[in-house]
Amino acid sequence: MASATSSLLVPATPTASTPLHAPPRRPPPAAGGVAARCHAGRASSAGGNNDGLLWLPRRDVLAGLGGGVAAGLVGYPDLASIALEASPAESCRRGDKVTDKLVECSDPDRGSPCPPAMPTPVVVDFEPERTATRVRRAAHLLDREYQEKYKEAVGKMRALPPSNPLSFAAQAAVHEAYCDGHYRYDPAEKNRPFDVHFSWIFAPWHRMYIYFYEKALGQLIGDDTFALPYWNWDAPAGMGIPAIFKDSFANPLYDPYRDQTHRDALIDLDYIHSPKDVPPIPFVPTPATAAAYDEAVQKNLCTIYQQQVRGGKGPRAYLGEKLCSEASLRVKEINERSRRRQDGQKIKPNPSASQGTLERMAHTAVHVWVGRPSPQGGCALADGAALGHDGKPHCGNDMGFLGSAGRDPLFYSHHANVDRMWHLWSTKLGGAGFDDPEWLDASFVFYDGVEKPRLVRVKFRDVLEARNLGYTYDDDEAEKAALPWFNSKPTRLSPGSKGGSSSSSAAAPEFPLTLRGDQAVVVPGVAVPAKLAGKDLVLVVEGVEYDPQTDNKFDVAINVPKQDALKVGPQHSEYAGSFSAVPSSKADGGTLLGKISLFVDGVLADLGASGDATVDVVLVPRTAGEVKVYLPPTIQNA
């Protein structure tokens, strides 16, 4: 890897999860699965209810449970003394291979949404489309005819039998399977969870996924020019849920499991930051809300600028770090240090890395902003909760929980805009992907063809240009300066942040430390190495323990005085980035251990601190729950 640190995301407090009863046998599901079969026979022998739909998402299995899902953060007393660094030889020199033969959906006893087994599992290789015949348009600008076409297509997809791998239920199950713990890396071992988030897998996999979804919609209405509309949340006119998704009467694009307080609100692309006791700002401003509206719009534009321009320099910064599935030596060390734990559980590696700005900024905020918040007292499947891979009901649905996000049609238009962000970064902002063959040759298998589904193998190198997939965006011909966020540069929050450590006399905190809401922590005097030719300066916070079932976020700032830390945000020069994740369940339960890598050359330059030997790093928690940080932040050449 480019850095001396290897990726880290391991379940920290796994707990066994036992279903109330063996689930009925259900045949494997969905359109975006790999070709490898689920071993559903075990479920059949235990379940006795052979309805052939093992993979389907179900809201009714645990309806009697009720209540919330308890989760605690358990620390490791000796972890702070462990060096969580590994040389490239101990982790991944490049990235790990990911192919349809190395990643398999497993654990059918939990009702996994595994991919359908074909009678004759022949896989054909993807062939690029010769011309771009589909133009993706902003959803809020669609004319009446196109709106009706979109509704008709989704309505017909919802009407397909669930056994069809291109039905709406199957498409939702695809995302659930790949994003909530149903897949394992290396079928021979089946002990390393695989997730398409948290690494360089994120952008290409989601591009593939919505490509086949879009094609299926066009096939259902007999229109090969149909293109999936995108939710244009990066422009002021699109910073609200598009009207086409809001009508609840006989509308296949409507989902009742959204936060209804945000139905007509201005979106907040830094949402997990916001105090929950502050009411949302109306999307249509009034004289009383005009000032707050203008301020919020500018903050949203600055968020996209941070994501696309300032913080997204290079593929590692923008697309995420290389996937590293191997458990490095540090996991063995942690297990050795943790052997005195009362539960006796060892820590299992979870292959992952660090998110790029494309994933961890607006993408995550939109998911959580749309999803229905957890009701007071918890939730139950009978009330619309999602059944997680841990066998428990989860709130925050639908968009607010990875296991159920694909059940909301708005999800696909949201991800069409995430894809557009990558497209703009590549075509207008000079961004280039990785040249690593482990990334370029990574492959997944998806279903194509509503009438006669077939398996198609796609490699990342096949999807680097949207035109190879037969689509473009309606603003392809516009100049980059016309993008509303292109010149939305942040401004300085505090005069005290001008170069040099602002509070170098402050006492250094002891690690591990616990971040709690509204309690900023200053780490003074963090060394800044001399910048090497051809390298970027990266601020790394490693050993972050968090509960994946809840909203998690902390901001990272540089040289902001502690008294101003709670005011910092993407609109400020001192802001370096955030740690955040969409809630999920994970098969083994417990907490996760993660990291964040922030590219800070732009921050240092804006603060006049590029030549400074040290800076102050400020950690600003944004959620009510606790997040532990085991190791002090470091700045490295990468």
Side-chain angles (χ1 to χ4, degrees):
M1 296 177 67
S3 166
T5 57
S6 64
S7 58
L8 176 66
L9 186 64
V10 296
T13 58
T15 56
S17 175
T18 303
L20 293 182
H21 56 80
R25 180 180 179 182
R26 309 192 153 185
V34 293
R37 298 187 181 186
C38 279
H39 303 294
R42 287 180 291 158
S44 174
S45 62
N49 184 6
N50 184 8
D51 63 6
L53 299 173
L54 172 64
W55 54 273
L56 278 179
R58 291 168 293 149
R59 299 183 190 266
D60 58 337
V61 175
L62 299 179
L65 277 182
V69 180
L73 295 176
V74 179
Y76 309 108
D78 300 318
L79 187 56
S81 64
I82 300 175
L84 292 188
E85 295 185 357
S87 69
E90 294 171 332
S91 52
C92 304
R93 288 185 183 275
R94 294 183 300 181
D96 273 358
K97 290 184 179 180
V98 175
T99 71
D100 51 287
K101 295 180 176 61
L102 291 175
V103 180
E104 181 178 297
C105 195
S106 59
D107 285 347
D109 291 341
R110 297 176 188 267
S112 306
C114 296
M118 294 287 283
T120 305
V122 176
V123 182
V124 299
D125 289 325
F126 173 81
E127 294 185 6
E129 299 193 29
R130 295 183 178 179
T131 58
T133 58
R134 303 186 299 280
V135 180
R136 293 182 179 176
R137 301 175 174 86
H140 71 282
L141 297 178
L142 298 179
D143 58 32
R144 175 64 64 180
E145 180 182 359
Y146 208 97
Q147 289 182 34
E148 294 306 314
K149 184 185 296 187
Y150 189 14
K151 290 180 179 179
E152 178 188 2
V154 175
K156 288 186 174 181
M157 181 177 277
R158 285 186 179 275
L160 288 175
S163 56
N164 187 315
L166 288 160
S167 67
F168 190 81
Q171 291 294 295
V174 173
H175 192 265
E176 177 183 359
Y178 274 106
C179 307
D180 195 39
H182 298 281
Y183 272 84
R184 291 293 184 272
Y185 185 88
D186 189 350
E189 297 185 24
K190 293 188 176 63
N191 63 348
R192 287 179 280 176
F194 176 81
D195 193 326
V196 296
H197 295 82
F198 300 103
S199 76
W200 64 357
I201 303 292
F202 170 78
W205 185 90
H206 282 83
R207 174 169 284 182
M208 295 171 173
Y209 174 45
I210 65 172
Y211 164 75
F212 287 103
Y213 175 85
E214 175 182 74
K215 283 192 68 180
L217 292 178
Q219 291 164 3
L220 285 165
I221 57 174
D223 184 353
D224 59 7
T225 68
F226 175 82
L228 180 65
Y230 63 89
W231 180 6
N232 192 196
W233 35 251
D234 61 298
M239 290 180 181
I241 295 177
I244 189 174
F245 293 94
K246 295 195 293 187
D247 182 9
S248 61
F249 179 74
N251 182 6
L253 300 179
Y254 179 75
D255 187 300
Y257 301 111
R258 298 176 189 152
D259 187 338
Q260 295 303 312
T261 65
H262 292 158
R263 182 183 183 277
D264 299 309
L266 180 74
I267 199 168
D268 183 352
L269 298 181
D270 190 38
Y271 176 58
I272 308 178
H273 171 147
S274 305
K276 298 304 182 284
D277 57 349
V278 177
I281 299 170
F283 178 67
V284 178
T286 65
T289 62
Y293 174 91
D294 291 343
E295 182 179 347
V297 167
Q298 184 57 35
K299 182 181 178 184
N300 282 342
L301 295 176
C302 287
T303 298
I304 302 299
Y305 178 86
Q306 295 272 15
Q307 169 184 300
Q308 297 289 119
V309 182
R310 191 193 195 209
K313 301 292 186 182
R316 182 185 172 196
Y318 188 71
L319 297 173
E321 292 189 353
K322 303 176 182 182
L323 182 80
C324 181
S325 69
E326 292 294 336
S328 67
L329 295 179
R330 62 185 169 185
V331 175
K332 297 179 181 178
E333 294 177 15
I334 293 171
N335 281 328
E336 183 66 23
R337 299 286 183 127
S338 305
R339 61 186 175 182
R340 294 191 299 272
R341 291 171 57 196
Q342 291 182 354
D343 59 21
Q345 294 285 343
K346 288 187 176 182
I347 301 165
K348 299 177 183 178
N350 186 12
S352 194
S354 183
Q355 301 166 311
T357 57
L358 178 65
E359 179 182 355
R360 62 178 165 77
M361 295 194 69
H363 159 261
T364 294
V366 173
H367 266 279
V368 178
W369 187 85
V370 172
R372 185 180 69 166
S374 301
Q376 191 171 13
C379 58
L381 294 178
D383 189 37
L387 179 65
H389 191 43
D390 56 3
K392 300 176 183 178
H394 289 265
C395 310
N397 52 313
D398 275 342
M399 279 270 284
F401 176 69
L402 286 179
S404 59
R407 302 177 193 178
D408 187 344
L410 187 55
F411 165 86
Y412 302 94
S413 286
H414 166 46
H415 266 276
N417 203 40
V418 174
D419 181 78
R420 173 174 161 268
M421 292 291 101
W422 181 21
H423 178 70
L424 292 173
W425 181 79
S426 300
T427 59
K428 298 186 186 301
L429 304 180
F434 298 91
D435 58 7
D436 190 327
E438 305 297 10
W439 187 70
L440 293 170
D441 292 327
S443 66
F444 291 90
V445 169
F446 290 81
Y447 277 95
D448 184 28
V450 173
E451 294 297 330
K452 295 181 178 179
R454 62 174 186 161
L455 293 167
V456 179
R457 178 183 294 110
V458 194
K459 295 182 178 181
F460 285 4
R461 65 171 69 249
D462 296 328
V463 303
L464 300 185
E465 294 185 18
R467 288 184 176 273
N468 284 345
L469 299 173
Y471 69 88
T472 61
Y473 286 94
D474 57 2
D475 53 1
D476 264 7
E477 304 305 320
E479 297 295 327
K480 65 182 180 182
L483 297 168
W485 40 264
F486 180 70
N487 290 309
S488 296
K489 298 181 179 180
T491 57
R492 189 165 286 142
L493 168 65
S494 171
S497 61
K498 294 182 179 180
S501 294
S502 61
S503 52
S504 56
S505 60
E510 292 186 7
F511 286 82
L513 60 81
T514 299
L515 298 178
R516 297 182 176 89
D518 298 335
Q519 296 180 18
V521 176
V522 177
V523 183
V526 176
V528 182
K531 184 176 170 64
L532 301 178
K535 300 290 185 178
D536 299 300
L537 290 178
V538 181
L539 193 162
V540 178
V541 183
E542 200 165 6
V544 179
E545 185 186 8
Y546 65 100
D547 178 358
Q549 300 180 37
T550 63
D551 296 341
N552 292 279
K553 184 176 182 181
F554 63 85
D555 290 339
V556 182
I558 291 178
N559 285 355
V560 62
K562 186 173 182 178
Q563 65 269 20
D564 293 336
L566 295 180
K567 304 173 187 175
V568 77
Q571 70 273 36
H572 298 124
S573 302
E574 296 89 342
Y575 174 87
S578 302
F579 177 91
S580 63
V582 181
S584 61
S585 64
K586 305 305 177 186
D588 294 320
T591 57
L592 295 181
L593 203 59
K595 67 178 288 188
I596 182 175
S597 300
L598 307 172
F599 286 65
V600 294
D601 283 312
V603 184
L604 297 176
D606 288 347
L607 297 180
S610 294
D612 291 356
T614 64
V615 295
D616 290 352
V617 174
V618 186
L619 307 179
V620 188
R622 297 302 189 186
T623 51
E626 294 184 352
V627 175
K628 286 185 181 292
V629 179
Y630 284 100
L631 296 176
T634 61
I635 297 177
Q636 351 173 321
N637 278 283

